[in-house]
Amino acid sequence: MVRPRVFFDFAIGTELVGRVIFELFNDDVPKTAENFRALCTGEKGLSALSQCPLYYKNSIIHRSISDFMIQGGDFTKRNGTGGESIYGANFPDEDLSRPLDAEGLLCMANRGPDTNGSQFFITLRECPHLDGKHVVFGRVIKGYEEVVKKLANVPVDEKYRPQLPIVVVKCGELELRRAGRSSDVELKQSEKSSKRRKPRSHSSGSERDRRSHRKKSKRRKSGSIVGDDRQNEADIRKETEEEYDARLEREERQRIEAEKRRELERLSREVTSRKDGGVRFKGRGRMQFIDPELHRRQ
């Protein structure tokens, strides 16, 4: 069974920090994993109870305790007193046998037995005192060192509330792709087009020789097409874990580069669209410098 993978893109204030990717244990706790996955995609729409979107996007990390855990998922009240599951307000504990024995574990937050909703926490160390009390339903597979630890270092107040908003600006599900199909189709189409463009041979043989030549070429073409189809079927396969991780890293780099390009384009547009008529403000804006080249006295 392929375990689903979902992601959070975090921002601290207005600064985009990066992406955290989770792997969900749907083989052990399918109901809990499905609840988190659906809240990442927002596919369930509005809640019948709160009329809020059943969606983690724009929710916050409302509690952060250094060297222990960071907690979020309250998309209804945003203070740790709200949240709900896709099954209703709460749903029961599914499996409490997995220990909290490492950092980067994804666990359900609750207010006691069988009170799971949408709130979750990510461990920053081993938490053996919580064994048997919280459902462990996933783990961080990418972004722990680069993102989660940076979130945990945000200053907090006396109630462990981050002093800067830590926001989930984007979230969703990642899917395995079938490798080989697109490249094989493109190769097959290019071969067909090249065969169409190939000029006919102008041999000076008899009509019988030309007919036999056409029959042989048709047989060769049909044989090559059958061979190509068999080769395509053999090449179609699912990505391996290594290919999947490499693709995720490549797409993450492309996403970051695209965001940088968009930001540079935005700044460039602001600079080019600014029309100040040669007037430059100095100091705190009370003094003005008149450019003599643009404002010559008559």
Side-chain angles (χ1 to χ4, degrees), residues 97-111:
S97 61
R98 187 186 290 268
L100 284 73
D101 56 358
E103 62 185 14
L105 293 178
L106 185 60
C107 314
M108 291 301 296
N110 59 46
R111 297 186 300 276

Side-chain angles (χ1 to χ4, degrees), residues 68-133:
F68 177 29
M69 62 86 184
I70 59 174
Q71 182 174 339
D74 182 1
F75 51 79
T76 59
K77 296 184 179 180
R78 300 168 67 86
N79 59 9
T81 63
E84 58 185 286
S85 72
I86 63 173
Y87 311 113
N90 296 318
F91 65 98
D93 297 323
E94 196 168 8
D95 183 8
L96 297 170
S97 61
R98 187 186 290 268
L100 284 73
D101 56 358
E103 62 185 14
L105 293 178
L106 185 60
C107 314
M108 291 301 296
N110 59 46
R111 297 186 300 276
D114 301 326
T115 57
N116 300 289
S118 59
Q119 292 192 43
F120 62 88
F121 64 90
I122 303 170
T123 60
L124 303 177
R125 61 170 174 84
E126 298 179 1
C127 305
H129 61 288
L130 298 180
D131 289 349
K133 298 179 181 178

Side-chain angles (χ1 to χ4, degrees), residues 224-259:
S224 64
I225 291 174
V226 171
D228 290 342
D229 292 338
R230 290 176 181 173
Q231 184 65 28
N232 289 339
E233 293 177 359
D235 289 342
I236 294 173
R237 57 183 176 81
K238 287 190 175 180
E239 288 178 317
T240 63
E241 289 290 329
E242 291 78 8
E243 292 172 337
Y244 185 39
D245 293 335
R247 178 170 63 82
L248 292 181
E249 292 180 3
R250 183 172 64 255
E251 292 176 351
E252 177 70 5
R253 289 195 299 269
Q254 293 173 352
R255 183 183 63 82
I256 293 174
E257 291 174 359
E259 289 177 354

